[in-house]
């Protein structure tokens, strides 16, 4: 199960992170949930995206990205991110945010979000908060606080990462 994989890779304190407040109770973006399975059907890796809003403009939030520890370092994470970003572009999403290691996400074109006037509502290492234009120029004129996507109401029974 995805939640167990996330506990193993991030630790159980993961839900205290600021990004969880943005995702809490919401489903992942439809069509942007990816898993990798082993030969026996075991869950090896997972990547999901979540809808957010920046001053009323829609964006997506990448993560959590997790690879089962014994399968790490074999290209699984990079493959999932590349696949996920390609799918997000195809679906017409324009801006993607992530909180993660800059060295890991820079190759996809992610750049620091704070200098671009984007604000995460809660404690975050500013260097880890990054943004990617899925459409050239999409960031122009977009500034402000990242908020939960307004059009989706929280559901008490959702399976949240
Ligand atoms: C981070 C994670 C998703 C990477 O997935 P992976 O399948 O192990 O990574 P890949 O094999 O696709 O990529 C390996 C490359 O990423 C780099 N890398 C791996 N973890 C990294 C990290 N935390 N920070 C920076 N670079 C990292 C490796 O050095 C390697 O670089 P190279 O290609 O130049 O040699 C995985 O290690 C994981 O689940 N870690 C625990 C959960 C976590 O920290 N997730 C954070 C996502 S921001």
């Amino acid at each position: 199960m995805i939640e167990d994989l996330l506990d193993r890779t991030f630790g159980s304190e993961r839900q205290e992170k600021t990004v969880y407040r943005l995702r809490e109770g919401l489903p992942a973006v439809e069509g942007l949930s990816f898993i990798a399975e082993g030969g026996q059907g075991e869950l090896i890796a997972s990547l999901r995206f979540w809808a957010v809003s920046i001053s009323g403009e829609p964006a997506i939030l990448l993560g959590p990205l997790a690879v089962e520890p014994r399968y790490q370092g074999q290209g699984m994470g990079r493959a999932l991110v590349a696949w996920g970003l390609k799918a997000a572009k195809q679906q017409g999403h324009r801006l993607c945010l992530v909180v993660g290691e800059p060295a890991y996400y820079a190759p996809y074109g992610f750049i620091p979000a704070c200098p671009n006037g984007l604000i995460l509502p809660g404690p975050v290492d500013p260097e880890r908060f990054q943004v990617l234009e899925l459409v050239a120029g999409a960031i122009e004129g977009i500034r402000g606080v990242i908020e939960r996507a307004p059009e989706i109401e929280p559901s008490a029974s959702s399976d949240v990462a």
Side-chain angles (χ1 to χ4, degrees), residues 9-10 65-67 72-78 99-101 103-105:
T9 50
F10 287 95
L65 166 68
V67 177
Q72 289 177 6
Q74 299 175 31
M76 202 85 68
R78 291 219 177 281
V99 176
E101 285 299 323
Y104 195 76
Y105 290 101

Side-chain angles (χ1 to χ4, degrees), residues 89-101:
K89 280 184 197 175
Q90 286 171 345
Q91 290 183 20
H93 296 286
R94 294 173 57 80
L95 272 183
C96 182
L97 304 164
V98 72
V99 176
E101 285 299 323

Side-chain angles (χ1 to χ4, degrees), residues 26-158:
L26 301 177
V29 176
E30 204 178 329
L32 291 183
S33 291
F34 307 94
I35 58 165
E37 284 184 343
Q40 311 296 322
E42 62 176 323
L43 180 63
I44 291 177
S46 165
L47 171 63
R48 289 182 284 181
F49 293 79
W50 307 81
V52 292
S53 169
I54 311 169
S55 301
E57 295 293 330
I60 54 173
L61 177 66
L62 183 159
L65 166 68
V67 177
E68 186 67 47
R70 68 181 176 282
Y71 290 97
Q72 289 177 6
Q74 299 175 31
M76 202 85 68
R78 291 219 177 281
L80 274 180
V81 172
W83 187 270
L85 292 174
K86 184 177 172 194
K89 280 184 197 175
Q90 286 171 345
Q91 290 183 20
H93 296 286
R94 294 173 57 80
L95 272 183
C96 182
L97 304 164
V98 72
V99 176
E101 285 299 323
Y104 195 76
Y105 290 101
Y108 305 95
F110 280 92
I111 57 172
C114 295
N116 283 286
L118 303 181
I119 301 161
L120 207 62
V124 67
D125 177 347
E127 294 197 350
R128 290 173 57 84
F129 178 35
Q130 300 155 79
V131 62
L132 172 69
E133 288 183 329
L134 297 170
V135 174
I139 203 169
E140 283 168 28
I142 297 189
R143 304 174 75 80
V145 179
I146 315 305
E147 297 172 319
R148 293 162 62 88
E151 69 274 18
I152 307 170
E153 290 302 318
S155 152
S157 60
S158 297

